[in-house]
Amino acid sequence: MLAVYKDRFLRVLRIAWREMAAFKRRPLLIFCMLVAPLFGTVFFASLMSEGLPSQLPTGLVDEDDTQTTRSIVRVLSAMKTTRLDHRYHTFSEAREAMQRGDIYAFFYIPDGTTEKALASRQPSISFYTNDSYYVAGALLMKDLKVISEMAGLAVTKATLQAKGVPDSQIMGILQPIVIETHPLGNPYLNYGVLLNNLIMPGIVILLIMLTTTYTIGLEWKIGTQHYLLNDLAGGSVPVALSGKLLPQTVIYTFVFCFIDVYFYKFMNYPCQCGLLSMMLLGFFVVLAAQALGLTLYGIFVGQMRMSMSSAALLGVLSISMAGFSYPVPAMTPLLQHLSWIFPLRNYFLIYANQCLNGYPIVYAWKPVLALLIIMALPFLFIGRYRKAFNEKAYVP
């Protein structure tokens, strides 16, 4: 029995060495597996190195131009997200500037605002945001909403001071309950932590599935599938597929390790579970993505284009189905169940559980089990693969 396992192990290494030699003839594979993910990691991390977008161009129309409105404008100018360097005389000028894309939002204070406020006639101030740019519009809406509420409080404070109310009592009237905000997992509200930790694994998973289906299908395309199975693998489908994918497993595991080191050591992203746990998670995700690619090719045996197209479709859909941008519980029941077949979805659940919150792994048993089930899927197609190796021809 030991001799049998030793022979299979040596056959796997021989096939893996053959696969590494094939990389020299196809440098595009090395680019997809190694160069593109590493470059993408550095690119996206540097692109979002500031955490949150800041100093977004914002316009102002202050037709009232009183001491009260000028103090409101000063507070708005001091906010980190807003760069209030565009002043307009009329509402129409500001609207046209936002339509041209010069500004993402503008704040409008009509004439007579202070006078109406002091006379308790409830004046109206308004702000307009361009939500065609979702992130910029959402961030500026938050700042402009806060400053709009503060404008009413500023007028109330001035009125109370004019009536002789002490400052110690004014704050109790304006804000009787102090609200504290504690964002968990990402306390700095860093967009890099939110996006990079899902975009890069999503890209890598997509590349894994594409290269898996491509390299397996290449045997059929060049007509060496019989030689691979019968001569090199000794008639064993698991040995043939394991040897084919072993170099890719090593390379993609290294890529995940690089991503983890770069994000959690150099970029100082929060990590509550330790670097080794994230590296182990990356290794399991690599195996799950390869297993999904093998499953797709097992469904479309001999049809490399169909399997690669299906892999690309699932890889792109996984970004939406992961649940970090749109919550999975808000999707239809069918999509909620289908989300478990996407490795990125399970990666995200384990990442949030372990890396961001630092909970015990037992609380993430469902995504762990889902990854193990995905890894076991290719075993359902061993018979189909064996028949395809011996009988199926390449389908263009």
Side-chain angles (χ1 to χ4, degrees):
M1 183 64 69
L2 183 61
V4 173
Y5 286 118
K6 181 179 179 181
D7 177 68
R8 290 182 178 179
F9 177 72
L10 292 177
R11 287 181 182 275
V12 168
L13 293 182
R14 193 177 300 117
I15 297 172
W17 184 259
R18 171 179 175 265
E19 192 68 15
M20 292 172 62
F23 290 164
K24 298 179 182 179
R25 300 190 297 271
R26 292 177 174 83
L28 185 60
L29 277 174
I30 295 295
F31 177 83
C32 293
M33 291 188 294
L34 196 61
V35 178
L38 299 185
F39 172 78
T41 300
V42 177
F43 173 76
F44 283 110
S46 60
L47 182 67
M48 304 180 189
S49 59
E50 296 298 326
L52 273 176
S54 59
Q55 297 298 303
L56 299 172
T58 309
L60 172 69
V61 181
D62 186 3
E63 296 178 348
D64 198 37
D65 197 23
T66 62
Q67 179 62 33
T68 301
T69 59
R70 285 193 293 269
S71 64
I72 295 172
V73 171
R74 282 195 298 270
V75 175
L76 181 60
S77 302
M79 291 186 170
K80 182 180 179 181
T81 307
T82 306
R83 189 178 81 233
L84 201 64
D85 56 357
H86 294 76
R87 306 294 179 99
Y88 303 98
H89 298 289
T90 63
F91 177 90
S92 298
E93 291 180 4
R95 176 180 56 80
E96 293 172 359
M98 190 166 68
Q99 290 175 335
R100 290 194 305 268
D102 297 338
I103 56 177
Y104 292 111
F106 68 91
F107 195 67
Y108 176 60
I109 305 176
D111 186 24
T113 298
T114 305
E115 179 182 356
K116 291 180 181 178
L118 294 177
S120 301
R121 293 203 299 269
Q122 287 188 321
S124 298
I125 59 176
S126 56
F127 59 87
Y128 300 83
T129 59
N130 188 352
D131 282 350
S132 299
Y133 306 93
Y134 180 74
V135 174
L139 291 175
L140 287 176
M141 175 176 285
K142 177 183 176 182
D143 279 4
L144 295 175
K145 183 178 180 181
V146 169
I147 200 62
S148 300
E149 296 171 352
M150 291 178 62
L153 296 178
V155 174
T156 304
K157 182 179 180 181
T159 304
L160 293 174
Q161 286 176 336
K163 293 181 179 180
V165 179
D167 289 343
S168 58
Q169 296 182 15
I170 290 177
M171 292 308 298
I173 297 173
L174 296 180
Q175 193 177 19
I177 299 176
V178 179
I179 301 174
E180 295 183 357
T181 303
H182 300 279
L184 300 178
N186 187 9
Y188 299 104
L189 300 179
N190 189 328
Y191 264 53
V193 173
L194 172 66
L195 297 178
N196 289 337
N197 280 290
L198 274 302
I199 288 178
M200 282 315 304
I203 293 175
V204 175
I205 288 172
L206 172 61
L207 292 174
I208 291 172
M209 291 194 295
L210 286 174
T211 54
T212 298
T213 52
Y214 174 76
T215 53
I216 298 297
L218 197 60
E219 297 292 338
W220 272 264
K221 185 175 182 179
I222 62 180
T224 57
Q225 70 272 23
H226 302 285
Y227 172 74
L228 172 64
L229 177 66
N230 300 314
D231 296 344
L232 295 180
S236 174
V237 173
V239 169
L241 298 179
S242 299
K244 286 285 294 182
L245 297 182
L246 180 59
Q248 297 185 33
T249 305
V250 174
I251 292 174
Y252 282 121
T253 301
F254 167 76
V255 169
F256 264 100
C257 291
F258 174 83
I259 292 174
D260 294 334
V261 171
Y262 194 83
F263 283 168
Y264 305 127
K265 292 299 181 182
F266 288 90
M267 300 300 296
N268 294 317
Y269 288 173
C271 182
Q272 304 294 332
C273 63
L275 199 59
L276 291 179
S277 297
M278 292 304 299
M279 290 180 177
L280 184 62
L281 173 59
F283 173 68
F284 279 110
V285 169
V286 170
L287 295 181
Q290 288 181 321
L292 190 58
L294 286 174
T295 302
L296 292 175
Y297 197 85
I299 296 173
F300 304 102
V301 284
Q303 303 183 46
M304 186 170 66
R305 291 185 180 181
M306 282 296 297
S307 57
M308 290 187 66
S309 299
S310 302
L313 177 62
L314 288 180
V316 173
L317 284 178
S318 65
I319 303 293
S320 301
M321 298 298 294
F324 72 98
S325 58
Y326 187 83
V328 171
M331 299 179 184
T332 61
L334 176 61
L335 293 179
Q336 292 182 35
H337 295 303
L338 287 177
S339 67
W340 293 106
I341 69 172
F342 294 93
L344 184 61
R345 167 62 177 168
N346 301 295
Y347 174 87
F348 171 63
L349 292 176
I350 300 174
Y351 158 77
N353 178 279
Q354 295 288 291
C355 187
L356 294 183
N357 297 320
Y359 296 152
I361 191 62
V362 67
Y363 292 105
W365 68 270
K366 287 185 178 180
V368 171
L369 179 61
L371 285 180
L372 295 176
I373 293 175
I374 293 172
M375 283 186 249
L377 287 178
F379 290 99
L380 300 176
F381 297 89
I382 288 181
R384 188 173 174 85
Y385 264 108
R386 181 175 290 107
K387 184 177 180 180
F389 269 112
N390 293 315
E391 302 176 7
K392 189 72 175 180
Y394 174 71
V395 179

